[in-house]
């Protein structure tokens, strides 16, 4: 779409749930797409990271994808979307219609390669040229930074090892003994898909997985994510905070041994892994569903990292660089969190522009 502008008041990096929510709120607060703000996304299509997710992932197998702000005005809602279609197709289609309906000026594919300070603002370098901006709202998500914990012997493992973003389909593991590592939604999704396709599955998690029907778990999950993000640690999975819903389907899967999590193995060997009790588990493939970290490589020139490795963000704003905002970061790593982040960040962006004189609409 459209040519890259030489400058804009605001550059939004990323057109996933968070980036689109920021853009929608900026527009609503009076900023004009184009000279006011531009959204840059490296993906070939709309849909944020959802466009890259595996074909079998359905919306009803995910948590719940929250509607983008203003989406009801279009008569659209993920709650009534066709759950028989791949989530990636539904989200791509809905986001694309959303961008057009609200005229959010998303330019793609444009990869932001480096954001550096330049005078009173930023120089945003991309693979399609440079854009000068007074404020940057970063919403680059986590998809390209899967987290894989270190294990002795991993490099000598003879079988396949994939992280969540590389998982394509259960059929790739047909007839294999598969070890799924991680206590989150993705791990549970993989175990379900592999059942009856892989020769066998075994599930290993750092913490015991509880089956709970505690509605308050979501709040706990957000608090845990907030603490992890501030410390620069990988974000705990939602399930860790909320537990696995004790539905009849999940309990039956537990009773037949599918959703039974074992404590982590201690070492990886060429043909499998060794459990803490010394017993050996022959394994043909390992799927690391062990979460993600924020993808901030393009922000490296701004030297945001604290000595402990984390990035300090207060209410969506970088503590070290107050003209930089981060949406969908840390506890907001969910679609509902991304929505809220959009509103919080957009308001502060407008205040920042007003305080340094901005172009009226
Ligand atoms: P993303 O959706 O990752 O969007 C970031 C965008 O930024 C991408 O389009 C990317 O192309 C772009 N980008 C990144 N770097 C650059 C760059 N340098 N230059 C240009 N563009 C760039 N949450 C829920 O609420 N419900 C669920 O059911 C749910 N299921 C999930 C299932 C899986 C398998 C996973 C991995 C996550 C799931 N989540 C779910 C979490 C949720 O999907 C994400 O937290 C949410 O979509 C994040 O949105 P985002 O905009 O922050 O990031």
């Amino acid at each position: 779409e459209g040519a890259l502008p030489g400058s804009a008041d605001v550059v939004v990096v990323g057109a996933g749930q968070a980036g689109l929510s920021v853009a929608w709120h900026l527009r609503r607060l009076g900023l004009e797409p184009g000279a006011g703000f531009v959204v840059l996304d490296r993906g070939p299509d709309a849909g944020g990271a959802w466009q890259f997710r595996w074909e079998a992932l359905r919306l009803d197998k995910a948590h719940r994808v929250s509607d983008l702000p203003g989406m009801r005005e279009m008569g659209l809602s993920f709650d009534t979307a066709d759950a028989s279609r791949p989530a990636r197709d539904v989200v791509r289609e809905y986001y694309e219609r959303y961008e057009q309906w609200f005229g959010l000026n998303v330019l793609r594919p444009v990869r932001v390669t480096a954001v550096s300070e330049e005078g009173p603002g930023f120089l945003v370098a991309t693979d399609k040229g440079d854009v000068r901006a007074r404020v940057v709202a970063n919403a680059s998500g986590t998809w390209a930074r899967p987290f894989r914990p270190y294990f002795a012997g991993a490099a000598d493992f003879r079988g396949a090892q994939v992280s969540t973003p590389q998982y394509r389909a259960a059929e790739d593991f047909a007839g294999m003994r598969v070890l799924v590592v991680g206590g989150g939604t993705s791990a549970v999704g993989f175990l379900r898909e592999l059942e009856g396709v892989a020769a066998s599955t075994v599930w290993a998690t750092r913490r015991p997985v509880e089956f709970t029907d505690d509605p308050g778990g979501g709040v706990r999950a957000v608090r845990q994510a907030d603490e992890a993000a501030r410390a620069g640690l990988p974000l705990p999975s939602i399930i860790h905070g909320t537990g696995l819903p004790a539905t009849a389907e999940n309990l039956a899967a537990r009773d037949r041994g599918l959703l039974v999590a074992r404590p982590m193995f201690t070492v990886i060997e060429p043909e499998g892994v060794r459990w803490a009790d010394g017993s050996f588990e022959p394994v043909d493939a390992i799927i690391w569903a062990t979460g993600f970290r924020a993808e901030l490589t393009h922000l490296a020139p701004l030297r945001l990292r604290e000595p402990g490795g984390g990035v300090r963000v207060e209410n969506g704003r970088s503590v070290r660089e107050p003209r930089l905002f981060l949406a969908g970061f840390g506890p907001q790593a969910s679609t509902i969190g991304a929505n809220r982040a959009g509103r919080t960040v957009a308001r502060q962006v407008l205040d920042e522009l007003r305080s340094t004189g901005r172009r009226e609409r």
Side-chain angles (χ1 to χ4, degrees):
E1 276 180 24
L4 209 59
S7 70
D9 281 339
V10 184
V11 164
V12 180
V13 182
Q17 189 92 6
L20 292 183
S21 174
V22 170
W24 185 84
H25 283 286
L26 288 175
R27 172 113 224 223
R28 192 152 173 266
L29 292 169
L31 214 55
E32 198 58 30
F37 70 88
V38 63
V39 185
L40 307 178
D41 193 295
R42 67 162 179 234
D45 290 317
W50 289 94
Q51 68 188 289
F52 304 114
R53 292 204 176 132
W54 60 99
E55 202 270 345
L57 184 65
R58 295 290 182 273
L59 282 180
D60 59 0
K61 286 286 170 293
H63 267 296
R64 176 181 171 274
V65 176
S66 309
D67 291 342
L68 282 159
M71 208 155 114
R72 283 197 192 277
E73 181 186 316
M74 303 167 58
L76 272 189
S77 169
F78 284 115
D79 292 339
T80 53
D82 176 355
S84 69
R85 290 176 59 203
R88 70 180 181 198
D89 295 342
V90 175
V91 177
R92 180 172 46 212
E93 181 194 313
Y94 280 26
Y95 280 18
E96 191 166 25
R97 290 166 61 181
Y98 184 86
E99 291 172 12
Q100 282 157 12
W101 181 283
F102 291 107
L104 297 182
N105 194 29
V106 179
L107 302 182
R108 58 167 64 90
V110 177
R111 172 185 295 276
V112 171
T113 51
V115 178
S116 50
E117 286 181 69
E118 188 191 66
F122 297 104
L123 176 68
V124 179
T126 83
D127 59 357
K128 301 286 189 324
D130 294 348
V131 187
R132 282 166 177 73
R134 315 207 5 250
V135 169
V136 166
N138 186 75
S140 51
T142 59
W143 186 247
R145 282 210 61 202
F147 173 71
R148 203 182 275 191
Y150 168 78
F151 270 92
D156 306 326
F157 179 64
R158 290 217 187 90
Q161 294 189 67
V162 300
S163 292
T164 298
Q166 286 103 19
Y167 177 93
R168 267 183 359 87
E171 287 65 33
D172 296 344
F173 302 93
M176 290 188 193
R177 296 163 298 187
V178 183
L179 165 61
V180 177
V181 187
T185 321
S186 305
V188 172
F190 296 148
L191 287 162
R192 286 191 182 291
E193 289 178 33
L194 290 163
E195 188 177 26
V197 177
S200 65
T201 59
V202 60
W203 186 18
T205 61
R206 270 181 311 167
R207 301 180 188 86
V209 174
E210 294 157 20
F211 286 82
T212 164
D213 42 16
D214 157 16
V219 174
R220 221 179 17 256
V222 172
R223 196 182 57 247
Q224 282 157 355
D226 190 47
E227 287 152 12
R230 288 170 187 277
L233 297 172
L235 304 180
S237 73
I238 301 273
I239 282 188
H240 165 59
T242 59
L244 255 182
T247 59
E249 191 190 5
N250 280 345
L251 296 178
R254 177 199 59 188
D255 297 346
R256 63 175 184 273
L258 179 74
L259 294 185
V260 174
R262 297 191 55 158
M264 290 300 280
F265 43 91
T266 52
V267 72
I268 299 175
E269 297 181 8
E271 308 296 332
V273 299
R274 200 157 293 277
W275 303 111
D277 64 6
S279 62
F280 181 70
E281 180 84 35
V283 168
D284 303 312
I286 302 175
I287 299 178
W288 297 97
T290 38
F292 294 86
R293 285 194 171 170
E295 182 186 358
L296 303 178
T297 323
H298 52 292
L299 301 181
L302 300 177
R303 291 189 303 285
L304 300 171
R305 292 254 175 232
E306 299 299 320
V311 172
R312 282 186 53 216
V313 176
E314 289 300 335
N315 206 21
R317 182 178 216 146
S318 158
V319 171
R320 282 185 180 246
E321 176 40 85
R323 296 162 303 174
L324 173 76
F325 295 85
L326 295 103
F329 178 74
Q332 302 149 359
S334 72
T335 54
I336 184 85
N339 281 353
R340 287 197 201 116
R343 188 177 55 229
T344 313
V345 162
R347 283 197 187 128
Q348 295 178 81
V349 166
L350 264 291
D351 292 347
E352 177 65 24
L353 290 175
R354 275 190 206 105
S355 67
T356 55
R358 73 173 175 106
R359 271 173 268 236
E360 287 308 321
R361 179 163 162 149

